[in-house]
Amino acid sequence: MNTTDCCPKCLLPATYPGIRIENGSCNFCKSFVKPEIDYLGEEQLKKDVEEILAQYPDRNPDYDVAVGFSGGMDSTWLLWYATQKLNLRAVAFTMRHKYMPAHTMDNIKNVAKLLGVDVIFFDNPYLKENAEHFVKTWAAHPTAAGLIGFCSGCRYGLSEILYQELAKHKIHILFSGFNQYEDTNYRVDSVMLNPNKPSKMGLVLGYGKEIATNPRYLTAPGRLAFQFKEFAGDKKFAKVRGLENRDLPIDERSYLGVTELYPFYNYINWNKKEALSVLKELGWQKGPDANQAWRSDCELGLIRQYYYRRILGFNDQEVKRAHMLRNKQITLDDPGTIEETDVEVIRRILKESFDLDFNEIEERIKRINKE
């Protein structure tokens, strides 16, 4: 895409849902006010951990905290941060699933061994069940809106199954690698009936339109019901986890006796250079099939990101870059590169995991674009 089709300040493309570019800027840049985030700092994080642990005298005697460890860039840095900077006794919890690349499992085992950290694996059958239905259904009528269903089941694993596992092991603190620069609404907005006026009703009507244009969704009503249940659960957890209200008291964020903390969201500012430096120190290897370091831990993620760019002209990389430009973590003089996943990788994953033909999907996308 030519840069003239993008916002000159944040480089978001004109295809971004709800964007309006005029007079040298987009509406998002014009309304942006750099948040004066008062990061609480490492000492406060340590105090909060101690405060939570003190509430549970019968807690697991071997571990202070759990780290949600996918094997990707942010969770690897977080595991290092918890053990090396905070000197906490951390245990890694990893959701094992069909779409985890072999190199990701190698990174998980190698990093954990180097840091002397135990890894507890748990399985999520809902991801495979839902992915097979939603990916194949989407392939019959490939749209940007339909991509939102690809990871159905994954969110449930991270919001329900993981918490159940933590409670079973009597671990009461979960560290998550979510950070300020990953906050984005474009996936949901691409489903909205009118992305310029996002609303709950607009989302329902927009998804209803997606189902109406692709009736194959209705062949598995149980999968649709599960997806709506999962989405509703996400909204509940947004408050429990303190994402919608970062000042929510810690004792009000507990679910099943587990409190989720966000070191890179509430306590210290996420920094890409520091993250990459730690990964290099740990010998973390980017997989041969993925250029995006932060999306190399799930093949479903690779497919979804590829098709967001194919259909909309951008994916998470452009959105994260826009956030970093507005927050002056990077500049227009050196905004970094936008990395592409090789088409042959997408072709292989579609065929091996879903028995889908890349060329047929491509023809359907071209036909829909002409309609």
Side-chain angles (χ1 to χ4, degrees):
M1 178 176 293
N2 192 293
T3 54
T4 57
D5 299 322
C6 302
C7 170
K9 290 187 177 180
C10 71
L11 302 182
L12 276 182
T15 51
Y16 191 85
I19 196 170
R20 297 182 300 277
I21 303 173
E22 56 186 5
N23 300 324
S25 184
C26 71
N27 51 310
F28 299 113
C29 285
K30 289 175 181 176
S31 62
F32 174 76
V33 177
K34 186 174 181 179
E36 294 297 327
I37 298 175
D38 182 18
Y39 287 106
L40 302 175
E42 289 184 4
E43 291 305 313
Q44 185 61 51
L45 177 54
K46 291 178 182 179
K47 289 179 181 178
D48 288 346
V49 168
E50 291 174 0
E51 177 185 327
I52 296 168
L53 292 179
Q55 298 174 17
Y56 301 98
D58 64 338
R59 66 183 185 273
N60 192 308
D62 298 320
Y63 309 116
D64 299 318
V65 302
V67 173
F69 188 36
S70 69
M73 182 176 78
D74 290 341
S75 66
T76 300
W77 183 27
L78 181 59
L79 188 62
W80 174 90
Y81 179 77
T83 57
Q84 307 304 301
K85 292 282 286 183
L86 300 179
N87 296 315
L88 293 171
R89 298 177 303 161
V91 56
F93 271 72
T94 297
M95 185 170 69
R96 190 164 41 194
H97 54 84
K98 174 183 177 181
Y99 309 106
M100 177 185 287
H103 77 267
T104 298
M105 183 60 76
D106 290 339
N107 278 330
I108 288 171
K109 292 179 178 179
N110 293 338
V111 169
K113 182 178 180 180
L114 185 62
L115 294 176
V117 171
D118 294 332
V119 181
I120 296 178
F121 293 96
F122 66 97
D123 295 311
N124 178 8
Y126 301 102
L127 178 58
K128 180 177 182 296
E129 293 173 5
N130 285 281
E132 289 184 352
H133 170 65
F134 284 106
V135 173
K136 289 182 177 180
T137 298
W138 170 86
H141 191 267
T143 64
L147 290 168
I148 200 170
F150 273 36
C151 296
S152 182
C154 181
R155 291 185 295 271
Y156 185 83
L158 296 176
S159 61
E160 287 290 341
I161 301 176
L162 172 56
Y163 271 68
Q164 293 167 10
E165 288 292 318
L166 291 168
K168 183 174 71 176
H169 287 84
K170 294 186 177 181
I171 298 172
H172 300 284
I173 300 174
L174 172 64
F175 275 8
S176 171
F178 183 84
N179 63 71
Q180 301 284 349
Y181 306 103
E182 291 181 330
D183 201 3
T184 178
N185 294 320
Y186 81 86
R187 301 186 201 98
V188 173
D189 287 348
S190 68
V191 182
M192 292 283 178
L193 197 63
N194 183 355
N196 291 311
K197 296 181 179 180
S199 65
K200 290 182 180 179
M201 182 56 66
L203 178 61
V204 172
L205 293 175
Y207 201 57
K209 179 181 178 182
E210 173 67 16
I211 294 172
T213 58
N214 189 355
R216 287 187 56 160
Y217 283 109
L218 300 174
T219 61
R223 301 274 69 82
L224 276 176
F226 180 90
Q227 188 180 57
F228 281 107
K229 173 185 175 183
E230 183 180 47
F231 186 80
D234 262 4
K235 292 299 182 183
K236 173 193 70 175
F237 269 92
K239 182 175 181 180
V240 171
R241 292 167 170 170
L243 291 183
E244 290 184 348
N245 182 359
R246 69 187 299 267
D247 296 321
L248 196 69
I250 288 176
D251 59 2
E252 293 182 22
R253 299 186 198 175
S254 177
Y255 177 69
L256 297 181
V258 179
T259 301
E260 189 163 0
L261 299 179
Y262 292 80
F264 302 144
Y265 186 87
N266 287 333
Y267 296 91
I268 67 168
N269 193 11
W270 180 91
N271 185 286
K272 183 177 181 180
K273 290 182 179 179
E274 290 182 17
L276 292 176
S277 175
V278 168
L279 263 61
K280 184 178 180 180
E281 175 186 328
L282 293 174
W284 185 93
Q285 296 294 318
K286 189 161 54 176
D289 291 345
N291 286 325
Q292 303 105 314
W294 45 277
R295 289 294 178 200
S296 64
D297 53 2
C298 179
E299 291 182 337
L300 273 177
L302 289 178
I303 298 173
R304 189 165 75 153
Q305 291 297 308
Y306 175 84
Y307 281 109
Y308 271 125
R309 177 172 288 120
R310 171 67 183 85
I311 297 172
L312 294 178
F314 66 92
N315 64 18
D316 283 15
Q317 289 190 83
E318 283 86 352
V319 178
K320 195 167 188 175
R321 180 180 63 185
H323 281 309
M324 295 178 74
L325 281 167
R326 294 192 196 110
N327 282 277
K328 301 191 185 308
Q329 268 229 15
I330 57 176
T331 67
L332 288 171
D333 292 333
D334 185 18
T337 58
I338 297 297
E339 300 166 328
E340 299 278 359
T341 298
D342 191 281
V343 171
E344 294 306 313
V345 173
I346 304 301
R347 186 190 300 274
R348 176 186 59 76
I349 297 172
L350 287 170
K351 185 62 179 177
E352 292 180 357
S353 295
F354 303 102
D355 195 28
L356 292 171
D357 185 271
F358 176 88
N359 292 337
E360 290 180 2
I361 295 174
E362 183 66 20
E363 289 302 316
R364 290 169 189 154
I365 291 175
K366 291 178 180 177
R367 185 179 68 247
I368 291 171
N369 287 342
K370 291 180 181 178
E371 293 175 354

